[in-house]
Every structure is written in C-alpha cells, then in structure tokens.
Amino acid sequence: GQPDQALQEYSAARRRSPDYSLAHQLYGDLCLRLNRPKDAAAAFTTLVNLDPRDYEQARVRMAAAYLDAGNIDAAEAALRNVE
C-alpha cells in the first residue's frame, strides 16, 4: 500500500471530524507501524480523551505507543486503574 497517502487521509479525517474515534485509532495504528510512536501516542491520547473508560482499545494502544517512544511512566499511567 501507500502508507504516506493513508497517513494524510487519516490526518485529514481527524481534522474534519475530531470526535470520530476511528480516525484517531487508524491514524495511531499506522503511526506505530511506521515507527512514529510519538505521533501515535498523541492520536491515542485524543482517543482516550474521547472515551476515558476505554481500557480495551484506546488505553492499551496509548500505552503501547508510549512504550515504543521510551516513555515508561506515561505507559504505566495510561493503564492505571485497569480492572
């Protein structure tokens, strides 16, 4: 595929519809695959802010992105209070 084009499309979707969680999730997932963990963490942080109780998808992805970026403290904070 063409990851750069997809990244641009997801980025545009995030700007057009900031409350549309799937756009943030797909953008973040692609950023992780492209070794852009800081961008992924930012996208997943937005995703968590949209639904702070989402411990199955958003918080796990956010923690993974923080780990990839070398930020262990932020990864632990992302998963704090998981039941």
Side-chain angles (χ1 to χ4, degrees), residues 48-80:
V48 167
N49 289 336
L50 290 172
D51 185 1
R53 295 165 302 185
D54 182 354
Y55 285 94
E56 292 182 21
Q57 297 290 324
R59 287 190 179 269
V60 172
R61 282 178 160 86
M62 185 171 71
Y66 280 132
L67 283 176
D68 283 358
N71 192 339
I72 295 169
D73 291 338
E76 288 176 356
L79 297 176
R80 200 164 284 130

Side-chain angles (χ1 to χ4, degrees), residues 11-80:
S11 183
R14 293 175 71 212
R15 286 191 304 276
R16 275 193 312 271
S17 303
D19 292 335
Y20 184 53
S21 60
L22 185 58
H24 300 291
Q25 180 179 326
L26 293 173
Y27 180 85
D29 287 345
L30 183 56
C31 284
L32 280 180
R33 287 198 301 274
L34 297 175
N35 197 28
R36 297 175 61 169
K38 291 180 182 178
D39 292 332
F44 295 139
T45 298
T46 300
L47 188 60
V48 167
N49 289 336
L50 290 172
D51 185 1
R53 295 165 302 185
D54 182 354
Y55 285 94
E56 292 182 21
Q57 297 290 324
R59 287 190 179 269
V60 172
R61 282 178 160 86
M62 185 171 71
Y66 280 132
L67 283 176
D68 283 358
N71 192 339
I72 295 169
D73 291 338
E76 288 176 356
L79 297 176
R80 200 164 284 130

